[in-house]
């Protein structure tokens, strides 16, 4: 892979105007404004990061998380671009490319979660499990739906992914001018494809990070091919995807600890003790997280702040992020050749001093937050909401746009679905075989669900069940 192609500014719909313009923005800066002004991006303010429908204005939402990923991604891009220039790792790499990388990563951070359903990652699990329970039981005109769908069609639903939905949303569902959605640049679209494999080629245990999940639906394979041919990445991971993923991992793993502390799931002493244990396991690391936390606590006491523990934790998060940015920068630059060859199989923290700290932060959040009774209770309620909505939608979409007459309630349920999504369905369904149309109608259901905010999903569930 080579940077000139990887940073492709092309789009599915190119501008037909050849007139001179006073707009001096690069194509990637234009992407930024398209994203910021979109309704899909605004909806992230009411989507769960960890704590759904939380009343605190401190706790992060998908919107604030995405802004943090955008900022960290841009910083990493600047660090890595400068390193490539300084050490002349690539003779064709220019200062403008460094600037383009930073803008692309800034945009990719904003939209990396834009396809996620309501209620965070649990929403993805709920959708997958709904299909595994219900798809084998569904019938269409006397034939089992599962038998009508191709293997990839079925696996698309059984391995449903917010990452794949994000690509679908920005390329098709965000219908503004035409069927090309936001019509973003190929470089940006390729950066957001974390897993360049279809649902039938997932290999969770292969050790290759690109095969952990699916990156696109069968319905969107054509756009995937257009994007990856334009950039020259093919079925390999785009180099900037590694940087985006590092920014995402860094942002949520540190933020989860901070949010959990504020919510009372993790006490100061608990964090301190776990960090001390990490220091015993990794004595060679130049960053001593427990010592740093203790020094910040002492500074808080000296400054006579009202809550030195909170002061220490919040400032410690900033310090940890700086350390991990350095680790991710090293992870990319030290593996530069294999990343550019498309053969690197790990994340950017692998083999760095930050690897063990990242693992501890993720494990601590899982043990003390995601496995807590409070979160389990929320997830049971969220599951009931999503299952009920999908039950009603599935019955309605099954015979939508067919010669079978729908009953009154199903027609009303279909009317709830955005015209944007129905227009996207009709465009894709033109000239398709019946099983392909059926597959697209099931995607129409997930398109609608993923476009919901947490509050909208809860309100729709209540309204459809008469709880008014």
């Amino acid at each position: 892979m080579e940077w000139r192609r990887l940073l492709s500014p092309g789009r599915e719909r190119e501008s037909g105007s050849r007139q001179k313009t006073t707009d001096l923005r690069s194509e990637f800066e234009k992407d930024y404004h398209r994203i910021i002004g979109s309704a899909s991006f605004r909806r992230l303010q009411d989507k769960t990061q960890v704590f759904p429908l939380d009343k605190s204005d401190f706790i992060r939402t998908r919107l604030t998380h995405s802004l943090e990923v955008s900022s960290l991604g841009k910083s990493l891009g600047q660090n890595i671009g400068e390193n490539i220039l300084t050490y002349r790792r690539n003779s064709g790499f220019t200062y403008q490319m460094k600037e383009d990388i930073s803008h692309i990563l800034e945009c990719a951070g904003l939209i990396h979660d834009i396809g996620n359903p309501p209620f965070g990652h649990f929403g993805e699990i709920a959708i997958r499990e709904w299909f595994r329970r219900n798809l084998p039981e569904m019938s269409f005109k006397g034939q089992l739906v599962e038998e009508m769908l191709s293997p990839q069609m079925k696996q698309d639903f059984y391995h449903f992914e917010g990452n794949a939905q994000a690509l679908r949303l920005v390329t098709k569902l965000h219908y503004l001018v035409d069927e090309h959605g936001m019509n973003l640049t190929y470089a940006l679209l390729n950066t957001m494809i974390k897993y360049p494999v279809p649902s039938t080629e997932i290999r969770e245990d292969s050790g290759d990070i690109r095969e952990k999940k699916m990156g696109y639906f069968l319905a969107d394979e054509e756009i995937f091919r257009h994007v990856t041919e334009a950039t020259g990445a093919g079925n390999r991971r785009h180099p900037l995807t590694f940087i985006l993923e590092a920014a995402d991992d860094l942002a949520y793993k540190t933020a989860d600890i901070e949010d959990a502390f504020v919510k009372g799931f993790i006490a100061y002493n608990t964090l301190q003790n776990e960090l001390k244990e990490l220091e015993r396991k990794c004595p060679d690391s130049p960053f001593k997280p427990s010592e740093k936390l203790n020094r910040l606590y002492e500074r808080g006491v000296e400054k006579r702040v009202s809550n030195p523990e909170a002061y220490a934790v919040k400032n410690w998060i900033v310090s940890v992020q700086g350390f991990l940015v350095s680790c991710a920068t090293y992870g990319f630059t030290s593996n530069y050749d294999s990343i550019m060859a498309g053969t690197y199989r790990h994340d950017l923290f692998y083999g760095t001093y930050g690897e063990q700290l990242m693992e501890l932060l993720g494990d601590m959040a899982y043990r003390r937050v995601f496995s807590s009774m409070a979160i389990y209770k929320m997830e049971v309620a969220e599951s009931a909401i999503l299952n009920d909505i999908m039950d009603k939608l599935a019955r309605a979409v099954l015979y939508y746009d067919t010669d079978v007459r729908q009953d009154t309630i199903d027609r009303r349920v279909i009317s709830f679905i955005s015209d944007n999504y129905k227009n996207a369905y009709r465009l894709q369904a033109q000239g398709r075989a019946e099983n392909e149309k059926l597959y697209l109608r099931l995607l129409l259901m997930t398109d609608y669900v993923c476009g919901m905010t947490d509050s909208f999903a809860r309100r729709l569930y209540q309204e459809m069940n008469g709880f008014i």
Side-chain angles (χ1 to χ4, degrees), residues 160-210:
F160 182 85
E161 255 300 313
N163 291 290
Q165 186 66 24
L167 178 67
R168 180 169 175 76
L169 174 65
V170 299
T171 58
K172 288 191 173 74
L173 304 182
H174 188 86
Y175 196 100
L176 185 62
V177 175
D178 55 23
E179 69 276 14
H180 297 307
M182 291 186 190
N183 198 34
L184 302 172
T185 57
Y186 289 136
L188 174 55
L189 292 175
N190 207 164
T191 297
M192 65 185 288
I193 300 172
K194 291 177 70 174
Y195 310 102
V197 297
S199 57
T200 49
E201 295 180 17
I202 297 171
R203 307 285 185 270
E204 294 182 26
D205 300 323
S206 72
D208 191 337
I209 197 166
R210 62 182 284 278

Side-chain angles (χ1 to χ4, degrees), residues 302-351:
E302 290 173 6
K303 290 180 175 292
R304 298 183 179 180
V305 299
S306 59
N307 189 336
E309 292 184 351
Y311 173 89
V313 171
K314 292 174 183 179
N315 281 280
W316 180 82
I317 292 294
V318 175
S319 177
V320 167
Q321 288 178 339
F323 168 69
L324 292 173
V325 163
S326 297
C327 291
T329 301
Y330 176 79
F332 189 97
T333 55
S334 63
N335 294 287
Y336 181 80
D337 291 340
S338 58
I339 288 173
M340 295 301 291
T343 58
Y344 189 64
R345 298 162 60 88
H346 309 288
D347 65 42
L348 296 187
F349 296 103
Y350 180 81

Side-chain angles (χ1 to χ4, degrees), residues 20 29 41 87 92 116 130 134 206 216 264 272 299 316 328 406 434 464:
K20 289 184 178 180
E29 289 173 301
F41 178 71
Y87 294 98
N116 279 45
W130 186 93
N134 292 280
S206 72
Y216 58 91
Q272 181 69 271
R299 184 195 297 173
W316 180 82
Q406 292 181 295
E434 190 162 61
M464 289 199 300

Side-chain angles (χ1 to χ4, degrees), residues 71-173:
S71 175
L72 288 166
K74 183 176 183 180
S75 295
L76 278 167
Q78 290 170 331
N79 283 2
I80 290 168
E82 188 62 32
N83 183 282
I84 296 171
L85 285 170
T86 301
Y87 294 98
R88 299 180 181 178
R89 297 183 186 277
N90 189 308
S91 60
F93 193 84
T94 66
Y95 179 83
Q96 183 58 53
M97 289 177 176
K98 173 194 168 183
E99 292 297 301
D100 289 343
I101 283 174
S102 297
H103 288 307
I104 292 167
L105 288 165
E106 183 178 31
C107 292
L110 295 178
I111 58 174
H112 79 286
D113 275 347
I114 206 167
N116 279 45
F119 310 127
H121 287 298
F122 181 77
E124 292 176 283
I125 296 170
I127 290 172
R128 289 180 209 129
E129 292 184 348
W130 186 93
F131 279 110
R132 288 170 187 164
R133 285 195 311 272
N134 292 280
L135 198 58
E137 307 298 324
M138 295 172 67
S139 62
F140 177 77
K141 296 183 178 181
Q143 188 175 355
L144 286 174
V145 168
E146 197 176 40
E147 293 178 356
M148 296 179 64
L149 301 180
S150 71
Q152 187 173 347
M153 290 174 182
K154 288 183 287 190
Q155 293 306 316
D156 279 0
F157 296 115
Y158 295 152
H159 293 93
F160 182 85
E161 255 300 313
N163 291 290
Q165 186 66 24
L167 178 67
R168 180 169 175 76
L169 174 65
V170 299
T171 58
K172 288 191 173 74
L173 304 182

Side-chain angles (χ1 to χ4, degrees), residues 3 10 45 47 51 64 116 120 151 168-169 190 264 283 295 309 362 368 371 382 404 415 423 427 439:
W3 286 111
Q45 67 187 308
K47 286 197 175 188
F51 302 98
T64 50
N116 279 45
R168 180 169 175 76
L169 174 65
N190 207 164
R295 287 198 300 272
E309 292 184 351
R368 301 190 179 276
S371 299
E382 293 157 7
V404 177
S415 74
N423 286 339
L427 282 167
Y439 163 72

Side-chain angles (χ1 to χ4, degrees), residues 378-412:
M378 290 180 193
E379 290 175 345
V380 169
E382 293 157 7
S383 177
I385 292 170
L386 289 176
N387 285 335
D388 185 81
I389 289 174
M390 291 186 69
D391 286 345
K392 290 179 170 63
L393 284 170
R395 194 180 72 176
V397 302
L398 201 59
Y399 290 101
Y400 169 65
D401 191 38
T402 70
D403 56 4
V404 177
R405 180 175 173 80
Q406 292 181 295
D407 67 27
T408 303
I409 296 302
D410 287 346
R411 289 199 301 273
R412 280 158 175 69

Side-chain angles (χ1 to χ4, degrees), residues 2-3 23 52 71 120 122 164 218 226 236 249 266 271 276 289 300 308 354 356 419 447 467:
E2 54 97 14
W3 286 111
D23 189 346
S71 175
F122 181 77
L218 175 61
H226 287 179
R236 297 167 295 185
D249 291 348
I266 297 177
L271 176 61
K276 285 179 180 178
Q356 296 298 322
D419 286 340
D447 289 342
F467 306 141

